[in-house]
């Protein structure tokens, strides 16, 4: 018999975070998040708790954990969209419809008790959390930024009454043999027309402190109309910087600034760190740290995190500057390929940018929706 319990003790919190590590043990495609960061989602110091409400449930078969799920009510998103919507995230389970039914029923009861009318996901607290259920590309290693899942997850979720709301596409961009002359010409013209320059800094910490406010402003403005996004509070910004500071490399951060040093566009890529944490289960063991440092120093693959341009500068070729610098960086550092992570299926402008790369569309993710109001 399957029993559902809401996470309420330290032991249960560790069970919640550890369950996918056991479920995917030995799987060559699964990349765990950092264990310490996952434990912090339970803390009252979690910056997202000022604008969100969460629940966490475990499914047991006797004493054995066989599944988990988390519910989120993201108040910022609901206020922005005029909705009463919950999100589900961190769903993992054995291949059992009984387990999935029980977990989603618990999340839906919690959402209804809090006045929600629908539930969607997988979505996290913000667009910078892991999101989307993998529905194509099960034989590719996950990036560090996104979640891997077994193919049967989609069947379990759909059998619980969930239907597609939107998909994301993911691309693998290979290093071009040469820089496209049209791209170079458009980038140069945009730099000259708006008197732009690339941001600089003495070191990584100085660079981030110098441009962080401009980068987040650019991100908020450039992404505010996209699915699932929310504006970042001061506390969220600091938490994100703390989490990702040591994972970043200055070689792959591009900021485009005006004459007053205001950030008008940026592109962020990170060395593909997934392989460093596969064996450690996301823990910062000496072995994992050694592998991470090695990858940061000389990566073979990079993950494209974010590209954003302020709305008033869009359609003027500014994105060509970012793409040119990304390609030059791949050539300079001898990067084999870049993983784009998630591109909304209806965001054709973003997808059109990849024409300057040899590419393959190798993965697809989905966000589901279910109406739960009585």
């Amino acid at each position: 018999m399957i029993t559902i319990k809401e996470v309420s003790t330290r032991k249960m919190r560790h069970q919640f975070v550890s369950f996918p590590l056991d479920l995917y043990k030995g799987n060559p495609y699964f990349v765990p998040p950092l264990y310490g960061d996952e434990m912090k989602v339970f803390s009252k110091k979690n910056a997202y708790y000022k604008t969100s409400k969460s629940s966490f449930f475990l499914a047991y078969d006797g004493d054995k954990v066989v599944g988990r799920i988390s519910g989120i009510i993201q108040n910022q998103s609901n206020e922005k969209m005029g909705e009463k919507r919950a999100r589900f995230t961190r769903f993992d389970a054995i291949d059992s419809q009984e387990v999935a039914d029980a977990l989603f029923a618990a999340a839906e009861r919690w959402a209804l008790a809090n006045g929600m009318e629908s539930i969607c996901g997988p979505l996290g607290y913000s667009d910078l959390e892991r999101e989307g259920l993998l529905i194509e590309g099960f034989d590719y290693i996950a990036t560090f930024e996104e979640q891997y899942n077994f193919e049967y997850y989609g069947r379990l979720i759909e059998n619980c009454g969930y239907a597609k709301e939107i998909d994301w596409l993911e691309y693998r961009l290979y290093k071009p043999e040469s820089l496209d002359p049209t791209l170079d010409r458009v980038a140069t013209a945009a730099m000259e027309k708006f008197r732009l320059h690339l941001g600089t800094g003495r070191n990584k910490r100085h660079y981030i402190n110098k441009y962080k406010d401009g980068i987040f402003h650019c991100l908020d403005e450039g992404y505010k109309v996209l699915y699932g996004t929310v504006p970042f509070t001061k506390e969220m910004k600091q938490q994100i910087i703390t989490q990702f500071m040591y994972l970043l490399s200055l070689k792959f951060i591009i900021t485009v600034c005006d004459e007053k040093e205001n950030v008008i566009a940026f592109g962020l890529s990170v060395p593909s760190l997934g392989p460093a944490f596969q064996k450690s289960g996301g823990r910062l063991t000496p072995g994992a740290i050694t592998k991470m440092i090695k990858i940061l120093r000389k990566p073979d693959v990079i993950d494209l995190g974010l590209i954003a341009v302020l709305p008033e500068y869009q359609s003027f070729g500014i994105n060509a500057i970012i793409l040119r610098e990304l390609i030059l960086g791949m050539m300079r550092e001898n990067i084999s390929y870049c993983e784009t992570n998630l591109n909304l299926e209806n965001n054709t402008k973003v997808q059109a940018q990849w024409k300057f790369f040899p590419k393959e569309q190798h993965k697809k993710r989905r966000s589901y929706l279910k109406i739960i109001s009585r």
Side-chain angles (χ1 to χ4, degrees), residues 58-327:
L58 285 167
Y60 294 87
D61 185 355
D63 294 329
K64 184 180 180 181
V65 177
V66 290
R68 69 171 193 167
I69 198 169
S70 175
I72 295 173
I73 297 173
Q74 192 10 302
N75 293 317
Q76 286 176 297
S77 179
N78 284 341
E79 290 169 6
K80 183 178 83 169
M81 303 301 297
E83 298 173 326
K84 293 182 179 180
R85 177 180 286 203
R87 302 176 173 191
F88 74 85
T89 184
R90 294 171 173 84
F91 166 69
D92 289 288
I94 62 171
D95 189 0
S96 165
Q97 195 62 53
E98 182 183 8
V99 171
D101 289 346
L103 284 167
F104 277 96
E108 290 163 18
R109 284 194 298 269
W110 173 81
L112 281 168
N114 283 276
M116 299 297 104
E117 297 175 348
S118 63
I119 184 167
C120 66
L123 286 176
Y125 296 99
S126 78
D127 191 49
L128 296 189
E129 282 218 314
R130 294 182 171 198
E131 58 188 1
L133 189 85
L134 189 67
I135 60 170
E136 292 179 10
F138 298 99
D139 54 351
Y140 290 90
I141 186 172
T143 64
F144 181 70
E145 299 79 22
E146 298 301 337
Q147 185 71 14
Y148 182 82
N149 58 262
F150 289 126
E151 189 170 359
Y152 65 78
Y153 278 37
R155 168 171 46 82
L156 296 181
I157 292 172
E158 289 168 13
N159 286 343
C160 289
Y162 288 78
K164 171 189 170 178
E165 182 168 38
I166 199 164
D167 284 351
W168 291 272
L169 305 178
E170 297 183 52
Y171 294 84
R172 181 169 284 184
L173 310 177
Y174 295 94
K175 179 178 62 179
E177 293 184 2
S178 60
L179 183 64
D180 185 280
T182 300
L183 178 67
D184 188 32
R185 185 167 60 253
V186 172
T188 299
M191 293 281 280
E192 293 175 352
K193 178 179 180 179
F194 295 101
R195 298 180 181 178
L196 304 175
H197 65 276
L198 298 177
T200 59
R202 295 191 300 272
N203 52 51
K204 182 168 65 176
R205 186 170 295 278
H206 175 256
Y207 189 104
I208 291 172
N209 287 334
K210 183 178 180 181
Y211 297 115
K212 62 182 180 181
D213 291 335
I215 287 174
F216 276 109
H217 174 66
C218 197
L219 183 61
D220 278 338
E221 292 300 308
Y223 279 51
K224 63 183 178 183
V225 299
L226 299 183
Y227 178 82
T229 60
V230 296
F232 293 96
T233 65
K234 180 181 179 181
E235 292 81 7
M236 290 179 193
K237 294 174 185 177
Q238 188 55 53
Q239 181 169 299
I240 291 166
I241 290 170
T242 300
Q243 285 179 332
F244 289 99
M245 172 72 82
Y246 62 91
L247 305 179
L248 300 176
S249 171
L250 266 184
K251 298 175 183 177
F252 306 109
I253 305 175
I254 305 161
T255 53
V256 182
C257 304
D258 64 14
E259 291 180 297
K260 296 181 180 179
E261 205 69 0
N262 297 310
V263 178
I264 64 103
F266 79 96
L268 172 64
S269 299
V270 295
S272 191
L273 293 169
F277 301 109
Q278 283 184 300
K279 290 186 178 180
S280 73
R283 293 175 173 86
L284 292 173
T285 62
I289 292 172
T290 299
K291 290 180 182 178
M292 182 184 74
I293 292 172
K294 183 178 180 181
I295 292 172
L296 286 172
R297 285 177 176 169
K298 192 170 179 56
D300 180 55
V301 178
I302 57 175
D303 299 338
L304 184 57
L306 300 161
I307 292 179
V309 180
L310 286 178
E312 58 266 35
Y313 283 93
Q314 293 175 8
S315 302
F316 289 107
I318 305 300
N319 61 318
I321 302 170
I322 302 294
L323 294 175
R324 180 176 66 179
E325 295 306 313
L326 174 61
I327 291 171

